[in-house]
Amino acid sequence: MVRTPLTPEERERGERLGRLLREARGARSMTDVAASAGISAETLRKIETGRAPTPAFFTVAALAGALGLSMDDLIGRCAPEIPDVPDAPDASIAA
């Protein structure tokens, strides 16, 4: 099975997730946080550096729990910013 390449947006989202997790980890060691989340320190390192930009949901949930972050906060801070476009038609309104 061949995996399709990630889009630039997916890579950028993975980098934002990594930065957020690194900031939330603060002075705690990577080994301590990884053990608390039940993952390897190498997996955490890959996520934090963006080398694993699309980690599994349960991995992210475990890291969020270990770091005291809510999934809502993670989603809000990792989602791409959508610029406001004035006078754009509302796609949800049928013509």
Side-chain angles (χ1 to χ4, degrees), residues 12 18 23 25 31-32 37-38 40 47 56-57 62-63 69 75 77 79 83:
E12 186 178 315
E23 290 170 11
R25 183 168 56 84
T31 305
D32 177 50
S40 72
I47 294 168
F57 172 80
L63 284 167
L69 298 171
I75 290 168
R77 294 177 63 186

Side-chain angles (χ1 to χ4, degrees), residues 61-72:
L63 284 167
L67 293 168
L69 298 171
S70 75
M71 290 299 286
D72 287 338

Side-chain angles (χ1 to χ4, degrees), residues 3-93:
R3 185 173 179 173
T4 58
L6 298 175
T7 65
E9 293 82 16
E10 289 169 324
R11 280 194 207 93
E12 186 178 315
R13 186 176 56 232
E15 290 170 4
R16 281 193 303 270
L17 174 63
R19 279 192 303 272
L20 175 60
L21 294 174
R22 212 171 24 255
E23 290 170 11
R25 183 168 56 84
R28 289 178 65 186
S29 75
M30 201 175 273
T31 305
D32 177 50
V33 172
S36 294
I39 64 171
S40 72
E42 182 59 23
T43 297
L44 179 55
R45 182 177 292 108
K46 286 179 181 178
I47 294 168
E48 285 189 358
T49 60
R51 287 183 17 232
T54 57
F57 172 80
F58 292 105
T59 300
V60 176
L63 284 167
L67 293 168
L69 298 171
S70 75
M71 290 299 286
D72 287 338
D73 188 40
L74 279 177
I75 290 168
R77 294 177 63 186
C78 290
E81 293 185 23
I82 301 172
D84 290 330
V85 180
D87 301 317
D90 185 352
S92 65
I93 300 175

